[in-house]
Amino acid sequence: MRKLFDFHGGIHPPENKHQSLSEPIRPAGIPRELVLPLSQHTGAAAAPVVRPGEQVLKGQLLAAASSLVSAPVHAPTSGTVSAIEERPVPHPSGLSAPCIVLECDGEDRWAELSALPADYRELEIPALLERIRDAGIAGMGGAGFPTAVKLTSGTHHHIDTLIINGTECEPYITADDSLMRERAADILEGVAVLRHILRPREVLIGLEDNKPEAIEALRHAIGDQPVEVVVFPTKYPSGGEKQLIEILTGRQVPSGGLPADIGIVCQNVGTAVAVRDAVVHGRPLISRITTVTGEAVARPGNFEVLLGTPMHYLLEQAGWDPARSGRLVMGGPMMGFTVTHPEAPVIKTSNCLLVPTEKELPSPPPAQACIRCGLCAEACPASLLPQQLFWFARGKESEKLEQHNLFDCIECGACAWVCPSHIPLVQYYRAAKADIIQQRRDHEKAEHSRLRFEARQARLEREEAEREAKRAARKQAAEKRAQAAAAEGGEDPIQAAIARAQAKKAAQQQAPEASPEEKAAAARQAAETKLAKMQKRLADARAAGEEDKIVTALEASVKKLEEKLASLEEPTA
């Protein structure tokens, strides 16, 4: 039997999972309109490659990845792109973001998918990673990190353990549980692809002991594959990546480090199915399993829903009663956040829509003063000091926050759950992280500007030094010429030319000013010379048969010169 380990802290909130497990996964159907945010993942937003009015097919690329850490967006069904505009999106800020709006035609016609070899193992690893990237797959467990980037990082390390996360420790959420119960074979097929890419020594599927049906389904589907299902006691947040690694291996990911640094890669069970669909069947990520639960819905359950489906449409499929719902939460009660607009769409990280009544999930009471009880430190699974982080966050002491490893906080909410003063600790940490990230960006911009200024100054100094060197070289050459001329008994030709020019200029300055008659004679001579040249050009143009407009222009010029010459010859009064 495999040895298990434990992590610091953790809590045991009510699970409330049975409500959504009474029925199998249901299709949510095709709504009239889909709203697809360009950013449904960690990293840079995708860039649109379609225009309003364009007709698209199911699976067609709508927006391409714009950087290394990015993921493309595909059409979940066929229809017409009606707009690319700002729409409400599911985000803690409640703000809008750029979205592609797709008016569905109901025909659900597939685009032609790229051809695949009969056996994906015939492809090189970079080609498999490119296919996963092109499919737009991001972590389906909630973090939303682009899967291809994570796997590429794994290929650059020696990976000895691949962990498939089926823990789903958050209360109410059962999307992964239902997926493991009903589609265990698909999960194992995706795991086989991941094994082929990473070549780990062992593969572990981690589950809490509150999922007996999923455990049995996975063990039955494994067959003779070198994969082990590991079951451990239920405790929140066992599903955190670092916590799961510690439970299964006893190893700890260093602060600021990645699991790949210690030879481990973690992937969610939903991500494994998405990888299988992309590599084995060539299908991009266009749908996901989402739990809809809470006492404000009549038929809670798990739905296979198209990405971009408005949340109110999905809630209506579960019998939503808006009059009973206190609020709409995306995610669970611990790590989820309130969605202010029910028309916000389901995205790649939408694992749950929770619509509790006020009695079921009361609004938190007003925060009171911290009594320094230390319960938050006992509950923290990352072994942090939440109380100290709270004070530093309130005082905006960014340096101390980083010294106390703020970014190791996984925002699980365990500290806030046990706090007797009802302080919303996680909200303070999120705000502090956002401030520090913005400060880092501002610092990077300032540093970039400083480097550009210094580079410009160095260039100007270099150019001035080069000019000075040229002047010194010319001076040295002139001195050598003068010395050579003196040695030969002559004079420097350059200096002689300069002297002649200076003498000519001095003579011109000393010459008496010409009389009016002399000036008039010079003007007549110049006019006669110019008239003679123009008459010759006119004669040549006539002889060559030039165009009439050219001849006419020359005749006009000759006439003007003749008039000018005549005026110069008139006697002065």
Side-chain angles (χ1 to χ4, degrees):
M1 185 175 181
R2 186 179 188 88
K3 181 181 179 181
L4 297 176
F5 302 86
D6 196 9
F7 61 89
H8 178 271
I11 56 177
H12 294 86
E15 295 179 11
N16 294 316
K17 291 179 179 282
H18 63 279
Q19 298 98 314
S20 55
L21 289 172
S22 59
E23 297 186 44
I25 297 171
R26 290 176 270 168
I30 303 175
R32 181 184 61 83
E33 181 181 83
L34 296 175
V35 179
L36 297 151
L38 297 177
S39 180
Q40 303 184 39
H41 51 271
T42 298
V49 296
V50 293
R51 296 191 297 259
E54 187 173 339
Q55 292 185 337
V56 297
L57 298 174
K58 184 175 183 177
Q60 181 177 330
L61 181 68
L62 300 181
S66 60
S67 71
L68 176 63
V69 184
S70 185
V73 177
H74 300 80
T77 187
S78 56
T80 304
V81 177
S82 60
I84 301 176
E85 61 188 14
E86 297 273 332
R87 288 288 187 98
V89 296
H91 190 271
S93 67
L95 300 176
S96 299
C99 300
I100 296 175
V101 183
L102 180 63
E103 186 178 339
C104 308
D105 58 18
E107 298 180 11
D108 207 33
R109 292 173 294 143
W110 273 96
E112 184 178 352
L113 301 177
S114 59
L116 288 164
D119 186 353
Y120 64 83
R121 287 180 287 268
E122 297 175 6
L123 292 173
E124 297 291 333
I125 300 302
L128 287 174
L129 293 171
E130 188 67 22
R131 185 169 293 278
I132 292 170
R133 174 183 171 84
D134 291 345
I137 302 173
M140 308 284 278
F145 195 81
T147 302
V149 178
K150 197 171 186 179
L151 293 176
T152 301
S153 174
T155 60
H156 295 160
H157 296 75
H158 174 67
I159 302 301
D160 60 70
T161 304
L162 169 62
I163 295 178
I164 304 301
N165 190 345
T167 308
E168 199 170 48
C169 59
E170 178 98 4
Y172 284 96
I173 307 177
T174 59
D176 288 348
D177 192 355
S178 61
L179 183 67
M180 291 184 287
R181 292 183 185 200
E182 300 180 34
R183 303 178 186 177
D186 294 348
I187 294 173
L188 268 298
E189 201 170 358
V191 171
V193 177
L194 296 174
R195 278 176 35 225
H196 176 69
I197 292 172
L198 297 172
R199 311 294 171 90
R201 178 177 54 82
E202 62 177 357
V203 180
L204 309 175
I205 303 180
L207 293 88
E208 289 183 326
D209 58 9
N210 60 354
K211 302 176 179 62
E213 293 88 348
I215 295 167
E216 181 62 30
L218 286 171
R219 285 177 171 165
H220 179 74
I222 285 174
D224 59 353
Q225 297 184 55
V227 179
E228 181 182 358
V229 175
V230 183
V231 182
F232 47 87
T234 299
K235 182 172 74 168
Y236 180 83
S238 297
E241 185 175 63
K242 294 182 178 180
Q243 286 68 42
L244 181 58
I245 289 172
E246 188 170 0
I247 290 171
L248 297 182
T249 68
R251 287 179 265 177
Q252 292 186 344
V253 179
S255 177
L258 298 172
D261 297 335
I262 59 172
I264 297 174
V265 168
C266 285
Q267 293 290 350
N268 176 265
V269 290
T271 307
V273 173
V275 168
R276 171 253 188 193
D277 291 343
V279 173
V280 178
H281 300 287
R283 294 199 295 263
L285 178 59
I286 57 175
S287 66
R288 67 157 296 137
I289 309 299
T290 300
T291 301
V292 181
T293 186
E295 292 184 358
V297 293
R299 290 182 60 201
N302 290 285
F303 294 82
E304 183 158 15
V305 53
L306 297 178
L307 301 179
T309 297
M311 289 184 178
H312 66 78
Y313 173 88
L314 180 58
L315 293 171
E316 289 164 2
Q317 309 307 304
W320 176 41
D321 183 358
R324 296 189 63 204
S325 60
R327 61 185 183 274
L328 171 60
V329 177
M330 191 178 99
M334 302 299 297
M335 297 184 71
F337 56 87
T338 300
V339 178
T340 54
H341 304 282
E343 62 269 23
V346 171
I347 59 175
K348 295 176 183 180
T349 56
S350 300
N351 55 359
C352 178
L353 296 184
L354 174 60
V355 276
T357 61
E358 181 62 28
K359 180 181 178 181
E360 180 184 14
L361 200 65
S363 300
Q368 299 176 346
C370 173
I371 61 174
R372 301 181 182 273
C373 63
L375 291 176
C376 53
E378 294 178 11
C380 179
S383 300
L384 301 177
L385 298 174
Q387 175 186 303
Q388 290 299 114
L389 292 174
F390 166 62
W391 292 115
F392 295 148
R394 287 190 61 179
K396 296 188 179 299
E397 299 181 70
S398 301
E399 186 175 341
K400 291 183 178 179
L401 284 166
E402 295 197 67
Q403 289 174 354
H404 283 71
N405 301 322
L406 171 66
F407 284 89
D408 285 349
C409 171
I410 62 173
E411 302 177 15
C412 65
C415 55
W417 194 78
V418 301
C419 179
S421 297
H422 307 291
I423 300 173
L425 295 168
V426 175
Q427 295 184 28
Y428 281 98
Y429 305 153
R430 284 176 178 165
K433 286 180 181 180
D435 287 344
I436 292 173
I437 290 172
Q438 186 59 47
Q439 289 173 17
R440 288 177 180 175
R441 289 174 179 165
D442 293 343
H443 176 72
E444 288 174 1
K445 288 180 181 178
E447 184 68 11
H448 180 65
S449 298
R450 182 184 68 80
L451 292 174
R452 287 184 60 194
F453 174 77
E454 291 179 352
R456 180 177 181 274
Q457 291 299 107
R459 176 176 57 81
L460 294 176
E461 292 174 2
R462 186 175 62 253
E463 291 174 353
E464 179 60 29
E466 290 173 355
R467 286 193 293 268
E468 185 63 32
K470 289 180 180 178
R471 284 193 293 266
R474 286 195 296 268
K475 183 177 179 182
Q476 187 177 7
E479 291 174 352
K480 287 183 178 179
R481 285 194 302 270
Q483 291 173 359
E488 294 175 1
E491 61 177 351
D492 186 354
I494 295 178
Q495 292 300 325
I498 293 174
R500 288 195 299 272
Q502 291 175 346
K504 183 178 180 181
K505 184 176 181 181
Q508 290 175 347
Q509 291 175 349
Q510 295 173 0
E513 185 178 356
S515 65
E517 291 78 6
E518 290 174 338
K519 290 181 180 179
R524 281 196 300 273
Q525 184 178 359
E528 289 172 353
T529 302
K530 192 170 183 180
L531 177 59
K533 290 181 179 179
M534 191 59 67
Q535 288 173 338
K536 185 177 184 306
R537 286 186 61 190
L538 176 59
D540 292 343
R542 286 172 174 166
E546 294 283 355
E547 296 181 8
D548 292 343
K549 60 182 182 180
I550 296 175
V551 174
T552 303
L554 290 172
E555 288 175 344
S557 299
V558 169
K559 185 177 181 181
K560 287 182 180 179
L561 287 170
E562 289 174 344
E563 292 174 352
K564 182 177 180 180
L565 185 59
S567 66
L568 291 172
E569 292 176 350
E570 291 179 0
T572 56

Coordinates of all heavy atoms in Angstrom, one line a residue, residues 30-34 36 56-60 62 74-80 102-110 286 306-307:
I30 N -28.1 24.2 -27.3 CA -27.5 25.3 -28.0 C -28.3 26.6 -27.8 O -29.5 26.6 -28.2 CB -27.4 25.1 -29.5 CG1 -26.6 23.8 -29.8 CG2 -26.7 26.2 -30.2 CD1 -26.6 23.3 -31.2
P31 N -27.8 27.6 -27.1 CA -28.6 28.8 -26.9 C -28.6 29.6 -28.2 O -28.0 29.3 -29.2 CB -27.8 29.6 -25.8 CG -26.4 29.1 -26.0 CD -26.5 27.7 -26.5
R32 N -29.4 30.7 -28.2 CA -29.6 31.5 -29.4 C -28.3 32.3 -29.7 O -27.9 32.6 -30.8 CB -30.7 32.5 -29.1 CG -31.0 33.5 -30.3 CD -32.0 34.5 -30.0 NE -31.6 35.3 -28.9 CZ -30.8 36.4 -29.0 NH1 -30.4 36.8 -30.2 NH2 -30.5 37.1 -27.9
E33 N -27.5 32.6 -28.6 CA -26.3 33.4 -28.8 C -25.2 32.9 -27.8 O -25.5 32.5 -26.7 CB -26.7 34.9 -28.5 CG -25.5 35.9 -28.6 CD -25.9 37.3 -28.3 OE1 -25.9 37.6 -27.1 OE2 -26.2 38.1 -29.2
L34 N -24.0 32.9 -28.3 CA -22.8 32.6 -27.5 C -21.9 33.8 -27.4 O -21.7 34.5 -28.4 CB -22.0 31.4 -28.1 CG -22.7 30.1 -28.2 CD1 -21.9 29.1 -29.0 CD2 -23.1 29.5 -26.8
L36 N -18.1 34.8 -26.3 CA -16.8 34.2 -26.1 C -15.8 35.2 -25.8 O -15.3 35.9 -26.7 CB -16.4 33.4 -27.4 CG -17.4 32.2 -27.7 CD1 -17.4 32.0 -29.2 CD2 -17.0 31.0 -27.0
V56 N -19.3 31.2 -39.6 CA -18.3 30.2 -39.1 C -18.9 28.9 -38.8 O -20.2 28.8 -38.6 CB -17.6 30.8 -37.8 CG1 -16.9 32.1 -38.1 CG2 -18.6 31.0 -36.7
L57 N -18.1 27.9 -38.8 CA -18.5 26.5 -38.5 C -18.0 26.0 -37.1 O -17.1 26.6 -36.6 CB -18.0 25.5 -39.6 CG -18.5 25.8 -41.0 CD1 -17.8 24.9 -42.0 CD2 -20.0 25.7 -41.1
K58 N -18.6 25.0 -36.6 CA -18.2 24.5 -35.3 C -16.8 24.0 -35.3 O -16.4 23.3 -36.2 CB -19.1 23.3 -35.0 CG -18.9 22.7 -33.6 CD -20.0 21.6 -33.3 CE -19.8 21.0 -31.9 NZ -20.9 20.0 -31.6
G59 N -16.0 24.5 -34.3 CA -14.6 24.1 -34.3 C -13.7 25.0 -35.0 O -12.5 24.9 -34.9
Q60 N -14.2 26.0 -35.7 CA -13.4 27.0 -36.5 C -12.7 27.9 -35.6 O -13.2 28.4 -34.6 CB -14.3 27.7 -37.5 CG -13.5 28.7 -38.4 CD -14.4 29.3 -39.4 OE1 -15.4 28.8 -39.9 NE2 -14.1 30.6 -39.8
L62 N -11.6 31.2 -34.0 CA -12.1 32.6 -34.0 C -11.1 33.6 -33.5 O -11.1 34.8 -33.9 CB -13.3 32.6 -33.0 CG -14.5 31.8 -33.3 CD1 -15.6 32.0 -32.3 CD2 -15.1 32.0 -34.7
H74 N -12.2 28.9 -30.2 CA -12.9 28.3 -31.3 C -14.4 28.4 -31.2 O -14.9 28.7 -30.1 CB -12.5 26.8 -31.4 CG -11.0 26.6 -31.6 ND1 -10.1 26.6 -30.5 CD2 -10.3 26.3 -32.7 CE1 -8.9 26.4 -30.9 NE2 -9.0 26.2 -32.2
A75 N -15.0 28.3 -32.3 CA -16.5 28.4 -32.4 C -17.1 27.1 -31.8 O -16.9 26.0 -32.3 CB -17.0 28.6 -33.8
P76 N -17.9 27.2 -30.7 CA -18.6 26.0 -30.1 C -19.7 25.4 -31.0 O -20.1 24.3 -30.8 CB -19.1 26.5 -28.8 CG -18.3 27.8 -28.5 CD -18.1 28.4 -29.9
T77 N -20.2 26.2 -31.9 CA -21.2 25.7 -32.9 C -21.2 26.6 -34.1 O -20.4 27.6 -34.2 CB -22.6 25.8 -32.2 OG1 -23.6 25.1 -33.1 CG2 -23.1 27.2 -32.0
S78 N -22.0 26.3 -35.1 CA -22.0 27.1 -36.3 C -22.9 28.3 -36.2 O -23.9 28.2 -35.4 CB -22.4 26.2 -37.5 OG -23.7 25.6 -37.3
G79 N -22.6 29.3 -36.9 CA -23.4 30.5 -36.9 C -22.7 31.7 -37.5 O -21.8 31.5 -38.3
T80 N -23.1 32.9 -37.1 CA -22.6 34.1 -37.7 C -22.0 35.0 -36.6 O -22.7 35.2 -35.5 CB -23.7 34.9 -38.4 OG1 -24.3 34.1 -39.4 CG2 -23.2 36.1 -39.1
L102 N -21.4 35.3 -31.0 CA -21.8 34.4 -32.1 C -23.3 34.1 -32.1 O -23.8 33.6 -31.1 CB -21.0 33.0 -32.0 CG -21.2 32.0 -33.0 CD1 -20.8 32.4 -34.4 CD2 -20.5 30.7 -32.6
E103 N -23.9 34.4 -33.2 CA -25.4 34.2 -33.3 C -25.5 32.7 -33.9 O -25.1 32.5 -35.0 CB -26.0 35.2 -34.2 CG -27.5 35.0 -34.3 CD -28.2 36.1 -35.2 OE1 -27.5 37.2 -35.4 OE2 -29.3 35.9 -35.7
C104 N -26.0 31.8 -33.1 CA -26.1 30.4 -33.5 C -27.2 30.2 -34.5 O -28.3 30.7 -34.4 CB -26.3 29.5 -32.3 SG -25.2 29.8 -30.9
D105 N -26.9 29.3 -35.5 CA -27.9 29.0 -36.5 C -28.6 27.7 -36.2 O -29.6 27.3 -36.9 CB -27.2 28.9 -37.9 CG -26.1 27.8 -38.0 OD1 -26.1 26.9 -37.1 OD2 -25.3 27.9 -38.9
G106 N -28.2 27.0 -35.1 CA -28.9 25.7 -34.7 C -28.6 24.5 -35.5 O -29.0 23.4 -35.2
E107 N -27.7 24.7 -36.6 CA -27.4 23.5 -37.4 C -26.2 22.7 -36.9 O -26.1 21.5 -37.2 CB -27.1 24.0 -38.8 CG -28.3 24.7 -39.5 CD -28.0 25.1 -40.9 OE1 -26.9 24.8 -41.4 OE2 -28.8 25.9 -41.5
D108 N -25.4 23.3 -36.0 CA -24.3 22.7 -35.4 C -23.4 21.9 -36.4 O -23.0 20.8 -36.2 CB -24.8 21.7 -34.3 CG -23.8 21.4 -33.2 OD1 -23.1 22.4 -32.9 OD2 -23.8 20.3 -32.7
R109 N -23.0 22.6 -37.5 CA -22.2 22.0 -38.5 C -20.7 22.2 -38.2 O -20.3 23.3 -37.9 CB -22.5 22.7 -39.9 CG -23.9 22.4 -40.4 CD -24.2 23.3 -41.7 NE -24.2 24.7 -41.4 CZ -23.7 25.7 -42.1 NH1 -23.2 25.4 -43.3 NH2 -23.8 26.9 -41.8
W110 N -20.0 21.1 -38.3 CA -18.6 21.0 -38.0 C -17.7 21.6 -39.1 O -18.1 21.4 -40.3 CB -18.1 19.6 -37.7 CG -18.3 19.2 -36.3 CD1 -19.3 18.5 -35.8 CD2 -17.4 19.4 -35.2 NE1 -19.1 18.2 -34.4 CE2 -17.9 18.8 -34.1 CE3 -16.2 20.1 -35.1 CZ2 -17.3 18.9 -32.8 CZ3 -15.5 20.2 -33.8 CH2 -16.1 19.5 -32.7
I286 N -14.2 23.2 -26.9 CA -15.4 24.1 -27.2 C -16.5 23.9 -26.1 O -17.6 24.5 -26.2 CB -15.9 23.9 -28.6 CG1 -16.3 22.4 -28.8 CG2 -14.9 24.3 -29.6 CD1 -16.9 22.1 -30.1
L306 N -21.8 24.3 -23.9 CA -20.9 25.0 -24.8 C -20.3 26.2 -24.2 O -20.9 27.0 -23.5 CB -21.7 25.4 -26.1 CG -22.3 24.3 -26.9 CD1 -23.1 24.9 -28.1 CD2 -21.3 23.3 -27.4
L307 N -19.0 26.4 -24.4 CA -18.3 27.6 -23.9 C -19.0 28.9 -24.6 O -19.4 28.8 -25.8 CB -16.8 27.6 -24.3 CG -16.0 26.5 -23.8 CD1 -14.6 26.6 -24.2 CD2 -16.1 26.4 -22.2

